[in-house]
Amino acid sequence: MFTTRPTLQGTFGMVSSTHWLASQSAMAVLEDNGNAYDAAVAAGFVLHVVEPHLNGPGGEVPIILAPAGGDVTVLCGQGPAPEGATIAHYRSLGLELVPGTGPLAAAVPGAFDAWMVLLRDHGTKTLAEVLRYAIGYAEDGHAPVERIGQTVETVRELFETEWTSSADVYLRDGKAPVPGELFRNPALAATWRRLITEAEAAGEDRVTQIEAARAVWREGFIAEAVLRQSARPTMDTSGSHHTGTLTAADLAGWSATYEAPATYDWDGWTLCKAGPWSQGPAFLQQLALLPRDPAELPEYGSAEYVHLLVEGSKLAMADREAWYGDAADVPLAALLSEPYNTARRALIGDKASYELRPGSPEGREPVLSGHAGAVAAGDPGFDVLGVPGAGEPTVARDGATRGDTCHLDIVDRWGNMIAATPSGGWLQSNPVVPELGFPLGTRLQMAWLDDGLPNSLTPGRRPRTTLTPSLALRDGVPVLAFGTPGGDQQDQWQLHFFLALALRAPVRGGLDLQGAIDAPNWHNDSFPGSFFPRGMRPGSVTVEARVAPDVIEELRRRGHDVTVGDAWSEGRLCAVARDPETGVLSAAANPRGMQGYAVGR
């Protein structure tokens, strides 16, 4: 099969990420005898600099790692709702939804601490060694991708009139970042330089320095600046000025934590995801809805195949809406059980469904938020935000955005493997903290202002995130790490990618990663979106123009509301792999958007 790029292969190390500078920075760490985890931390901080419209230090990151010879583990870098972030407080402000921007939408920042915990426990490098790449690009400049300037232009008026600290960084002399011209963020570089100085003053030991940096983030000059910003009245998507709820106790009291992954076995594979505080199990549910025998699947890429996957996605995402969250026990074992999925599979007919149909695991009745119920019932007052496509931010003048993210995968010569999906803290999410050079996040917009739901806004609990990295084992051995940006679309695109691999070539026959990434992709929006204003498009399917015309015609005959997008508009996959028998490493990256890149040797 002809592909846009080769699938890279080698034995030393492989990196794939959504930006070439992050990929090459990670590779430089590997060349300097660092391991996959050192490299991931370096790349993560570079992504904060070169994709600030997609992630930042004030955001979050779920990480799945498979240490050589060890167990697969999830490192949760999703911070919880502050203690003052109660439903009663938001309702008292006249709000029915958490705003899509501003300090009211800010959870406890999670990304920084997760990267530090990863570096402390699994890395070998010092703080200064992994941060030097990000500092260099922030201080000396980098040639920005086109999307940064486009995003800034959509919020120019907001920056110039309200979020002036953001204008100081992103509209210097009134000019948005331009490709080919160096863009700098000296405030961010100064933040990391000061952090390193204070951490090194704590002692010479690597771990001592990392722990000191974590303390500075939670209780030192960074925490102080974050709290000042949260207390500033800020214009948000509600059209009003609000202050946030973060306190010193919120920042000081939270740490990134490890947990076991959610898993599902299919045809000799074991798929590993973060738990139902993320949307990760929706990937597993989509697999569970497929026949156990791959030979029973329709022909790959056919209209019947696409129809089956789209309808399965609708059922899984309906369950996500009714059952996933961190504010209640999630019946995940029942949701993944064979009896439950056999019954759910019978709901898939020959025609497209326009209903939101959550199931009843263990006989429990599903409950939806009032807003989600209105959206699902077709209330004309609700619609979907954004345009079909690859999930890049669609930003209104008030900063409303259908957010996006980044991704990175790394495997090293020792067999260590990692998949991470950093996001949040976008330049369009909150004003830049002037002393620090980065904004706060907006992940609380994922939570509902209704009591009694798994995803109700709850102090100390994580808002359900769309971020969902993946790691796959074959016959119990880690062989594949992958993921994509794309908000609610992530686990749809990842399933299509994974099946393209699983159905075409066995692992030990060589993974055609690039071919699976390049293959035409699609998604549906037939469920309440996770981002403000939480709309949906019942019956929708958005396909790339490269999908065969007869497939599109048959999907429409089956009742799907098909939108034909650009030829290269669906999915932004990254992937790395390792053959456990030969030690051969592989990597591939998405050509869509013209910025993802894989490197390795």
Side-chain angles (χ1 to χ4, degrees):
M1 173 184 174
F2 177 80
T3 60
T4 58
R5 309 168 181 181
T7 294
L8 305 184
Q9 292 196 310
T11 57
F12 180 82
M14 289 285 162
V15 180
S16 180
S17 87
T18 48
H19 196 288
W20 62 86
L21 291 179
S23 295
Q24 189 53 49
S25 297
M27 194 65 201
V29 173
L30 294 181
E31 296 285 5
D32 193 37
N33 290 318
N35 65 21
Y37 308 117
D38 298 313
V41 177
F45 280 90
V46 169
L47 287 172
H48 295 162
V49 178
V50 300
E51 292 192 314
H53 58 310
L54 304 179
N55 81 136
E60 46 275 326
V61 58
I63 299 169
I64 302 184
L65 56 150
D71 295 331
V72 176
T73 305
V74 172
L75 177 55
C76 175
Q78 174 58 65
E83 284 304 309
T86 64
I87 291 174
H89 174 60
Y90 286 65
R91 292 287 189 181
S92 74
L93 299 173
L95 299 172
E96 295 184 359
L97 293 174
V98 177
T101 60
L104 275 179
V108 176
F112 178 86
D113 198 64
W115 289 126
M116 290 299 99
V117 169
L118 179 68
L119 183 66
R120 180 195 68 189
D121 296 344
H122 297 279
T124 65
K125 297 291 187 180
T126 66
L127 183 67
E129 287 173 325
V130 295
L131 282 180
R132 69 187 184 95
Y133 305 92
I135 292 172
Y137 289 125
E139 195 167 62
D140 301 327
H142 63 95
V145 295
E146 187 176 11
R147 285 284 188 177
I148 297 177
Q150 290 175 343
T151 301
V152 171
E153 288 295 349
T154 62
V155 288
R156 172 183 283 273
E157 182 179 346
L158 179 69
F159 280 14
E160 291 177 336
T161 60
E162 295 280 352
W163 296 9
T164 55
S165 61
S166 296
D168 291 342
V169 175
Y170 293 104
L171 285 170
R172 196 163 295 133
D173 299 322
K175 185 178 180 181
V178 177
E181 297 182 10
L182 289 180
F183 173 72
R184 298 176 174 86
N185 188 342
L188 180 59
T191 295
W192 297 145
R193 286 198 180 279
R194 180 177 174 183
L195 178 78
I196 290 170
T197 297
E198 295 192 12
E200 290 180 342
E204 296 184 1
D205 178 69
R206 186 185 77 90
V207 172
T208 298
Q209 292 177 5
I210 293 170
E211 286 300 307
R214 296 178 69 208
V216 170
W217 178 271
R218 293 196 302 250
E219 301 176 89
F221 79 92
I222 293 177
E224 292 168 358
V226 164
L227 292 173
R228 284 194 295 270
Q229 183 61 48
S230 178
R232 292 186 177 107
T234 301
M235 174 68 74
D236 59 37
T237 52
S238 71
S240 299
H241 293 79
H242 292 114
T243 57
T245 61
L246 280 169
T247 67
D250 293 320
L251 295 177
W254 182 82
S255 297
T257 54
Y258 293 102
E259 60 188 56
T263 63
Y264 186 76
D265 295 331
W266 187 80
D267 193 39
W269 295 82
T270 299
L271 281 301
C272 302
K273 303 289 283 188
W277 52 268
S278 76
Q279 72 169 330
F283 179 102
L284 308 180
Q285 283 197 251
Q286 289 176 92
L287 269 182
L289 285 163
L290 298 177
R292 300 290 292 180
D293 183 356
E296 297 178 17
L297 283 169
E299 179 185 358
Y300 173 85
S302 65
E304 187 179 1
Y305 177 86
V306 176
H307 172 79
L308 177 66
L309 267 59
V310 167
E311 294 304 300
S313 169
K314 292 175 185 177
L315 294 174
M317 297 302 268
D319 276 346
R320 183 195 75 162
E321 189 55 53
W323 299 109
Y324 291 18
D326 195 36
D329 291 332
V330 179
L332 188 56
L335 290 169
L336 294 175
S337 69
E338 184 59 28
Y340 179 77
N341 284 285
T342 297
R344 295 285 278 167
R345 197 177 301 124
L347 297 176
I348 300 176
D350 292 332
K351 294 292 186 179
S353 169
Y354 279 61
E355 300 176 74
L356 187 70
R357 298 182 290 179
S360 300
E362 301 173 335
R364 296 162 57 178
E365 284 302 309
V367 180
L368 302 176
S369 76
H371 182 92
V375 169
D379 187 319
F382 298 95
D383 196 4
V384 71
L385 176 71
V387 295
E392 287 283 4
T394 302
V395 190
R397 286 186 175 274
D398 60 3
T401 177
R402 178 189 176 195
D404 204 354
T405 181
C406 311
H407 187 79
L408 64 89
D409 301 301
I410 303 175
V411 60
D412 64 27
R413 62 189 184 275
W414 299 288
N416 299 303
M417 188 175 286
I418 184 171
T421 309
S423 186
W426 310 306
L427 67 86
Q428 67 275 19
S429 64
N430 257 300
V432 166
V433 182
E435 305 94 326
L436 303 179
F438 63 83
L440 297 175
T442 57
R443 195 57 60 173
L444 291 188
Q445 68 179 292
M446 308 280 161
W448 292 113
L449 297 181
D450 299 82
D451 288 309
L453 303 173
N455 193 31
S456 296
L457 180 65
T458 306
R461 296 290 184 169
R462 296 165 288 191
R464 190 191 69 217
T465 180
T466 54
L467 309 176
T468 173
S470 300
L471 201 142
L473 291 71
R474 184 71 175 174
D475 300 326
V477 179
V479 296
L480 177 67
F482 58 102
T484 179
D488 293 311
Q489 285 75 52
Q490 290 180 32
D491 278 319
Q492 297 182 61
W493 291 334
Q494 290 185 68
L495 179 71
H496 309 162
F497 161 82
F498 169 73
L499 289 176
L501 291 177
L503 299 177
R504 289 186 175 191
V507 167
R508 291 175 178 81
L511 286 171
D512 184 13
L513 297 182
Q514 194 63 52
I517 288 173
D518 288 356
N521 218 318
W522 64 90
H523 81 271
N524 85 93
D525 295 299
S526 297
F527 47 85
S530 295
F531 296 91
F532 183 92
R534 314 298 296 269
M536 65 182 284
R537 295 172 59 217
S540 68
V541 179
T542 302
V543 303
E544 289 183 318
R546 294 179 296 129
V547 171
D550 62 319
V551 172
I552 294 172
E553 181 181 354
E554 174 61 16
L555 289 173
R556 286 175 171 155
R557 191 193 68 78
R558 288 172 178 255
H560 295 280
D561 180 11
V562 180
T563 298
V564 180
D566 293 340
W568 296 90
S569 57
E570 290 287 315
R572 287 174 58 202
L573 271 297
C574 299
V576 300
R578 179 179 183 272
D579 187 322
E581 291 189 352
T582 65
V584 171
L585 312 178
S586 304
N590 172 54
R592 302 165 179 88
M594 300 297 287
Q595 66 187 66
Y597 237 87
V599 295
R601 70 173 178 86

